[in-house]
Amino acid sequence: MQFSTEHKTDYTEVAGNGRLNMVAAPKLREVVQEAVSAGYKRIVVNLAETSFMDSSGLGALIGCLKLARQAGGDLRIACVQPQVLMVLELTSMNRVLTPHPTAEEAFSHD
Amino acid sequence: MTEILARRCFRDGATADAIEALHTELDGLWDDASFVPAMDQMAFTTAVIEAASNVVQHGVALAGRELQLGVELTVSASVLEARISEIDAVSHTQLPPAGLPVDDMESGRGLSLIRALVTTVTVERQGDTNVWVLSRVQAPPES
């Protein structure tokens, strides 16, 4: 899985392309940790190109959310695909990681 | 006897790389069995990857052996079945009780997810192998 990071005006967008599984989960933590350590605390993970997520990937998102919040920021997810939505709903984690339709909208109502 | 319409087999060392290879095998299975509804494909794939990842993350090799992951996937008209083998592994056939962890826990959701995605899940001991058997009964097509 490939990750890219782009610093926008109001948030930092981390986009993941591929499968967010036990192989990719540590990479996501690393990418978000790097952004938060550099002072970018409002993170949007864009999942438009993330075709699959398992519980390891979900665990990484939760870990990244904690990282961002501990730094005084937040992490949100956007452009969630059907399989990822299924995993979020079956684990009830859509209550904590609420999917946003687009990355732009994730922090637009703050 | 139930006719098998598609089958894939996989065996490799129980490493993280094997999970990527297994996922590719699952994609090939759905190429062969494209008649299976997308929802069933998605649910079954997720359950199989969860169980195989559990083997890689938590399986313990017998002394002097190397843990192997074996997977047999079969598709019949009404059932999707996976036999996920933890080969040369210390015995464990008791699945923990169902339940989700608190929201901020980063692990502990895999088994609940499997249970939600398949109709039955069991683990049995065969020789030096623990075999997870996952089956998902497909909804009959609407007439």
Side-chain angles (χ1 to χ4, degrees):
Chain A
M1 184 170 197
Q2 302 295 317
F3 293 99
S4 61
T5 304
E6 193 177 343
H7 302 299
K8 310 270 188 171
T9 310
D10 295 326
Y11 60 92
T12 291
E13 184 173 336
V14 174
N17 187 329
R19 298 168 184 147
L20 185 48
N21 56 17
M22 65 176 290
V23 180
K27 296 182 196 169
L28 175 61
R29 288 175 206 266
E30 205 175 292
V31 168
V32 172
Q33 170 79 69
E34 200 172 292
V36 171
S37 298
Y40 300 101
K41 302 172 196 167
R42 286 154 63 99
I43 308 288
V44 178
V45 180
N46 186 331
L47 297 168
E49 301 297 328
T50 300
S51 57
F52 179 88
M53 179 179 77
D54 63 9
S55 63
S56 301
L58 176 59
L61 280 178
I62 296 165
C64 293
L65 171 67
K66 284 157 64 178
L67 270 175
R69 287 186 177 171
Q70 281 161 9
D74 205 359
L75 177 142
R76 299 183 184 171
I77 58 173
C79 309
V80 169
Q81 299 305 298
Q83 189 275 346
V84 175
L85 183 61
M86 177 188 77
V87 169
L88 287 167
E89 289 179 346
L90 287 175
T91 56
S92 301
M93 288 308 290
N94 53 333
R95 292 178 293 107
V96 180
L97 289 160
T98 306
H100 294 270
T102 65
E104 293 77 16
E105 287 173 75
F107 281 103
S108 63
H109 301 296
D110 286 24
Chain B
M1 190 172 161
T2 307
E3 187 186 2
I4 301 300
L5 303 172
R7 181 196 302 272
R8 290 271 173 156
C9 293
F10 173 88
R11 181 165 171 163
D12 204 345
T15 65
D17 287 344
I19 298 302
E20 285 289 352
L22 174 59
H23 212 133
T24 303
E25 208 60 51
L26 279 153
D27 288 345
L29 179 73
W30 304 132
D31 287 343
D32 296 344
S34 55
F35 54 87
V36 175
M39 181 61 205
D40 288 309
Q41 293 186 20
M42 196 165 80
F44 188 68
T45 294
T46 307
V48 170
I49 294 294
E50 282 293 341
S53 298
N54 189 295
V55 170
V56 170
Q57 289 172 315
H58 303 297
V60 178
L62 290 167
R65 310 268 194 91
E66 188 183 339
L67 191 67
Q68 297 272 306
L69 172 68
V71 181
E72 182 186 13
L73 307 164
T74 55
V75 176
S76 66
S78 58
V79 180
L80 308 173
E81 186 178 277
R83 299 180 69 81
I84 298 158
S85 298
E86 208 172 336
I87 302 161
D88 288 336
V90 169
S91 176
H92 79 82
T93 54
Q94 291 290 319
L95 291 172
L100 287 166
V102 294
D103 287 349
D104 64 348
M105 287 293 287
E106 295 173 37
S107 61
R109 295 179 178 82
L111 193 54
S112 293
L113 203 46
I114 294 169
R115 285 182 164 126
L117 292 167
V118 297
T119 312
T120 61
V121 52
T122 58
V123 182
E124 55 196 49
R125 185 72 173 170
Q126 294 180 358
D128 289 339
T129 299
N130 303 315
V131 185
W132 295 62
V133 184
L134 275 51
S135 69
R136 179 178 170 92
V137 176
Q138 299 179 76
E142 289 177 23
S143 54

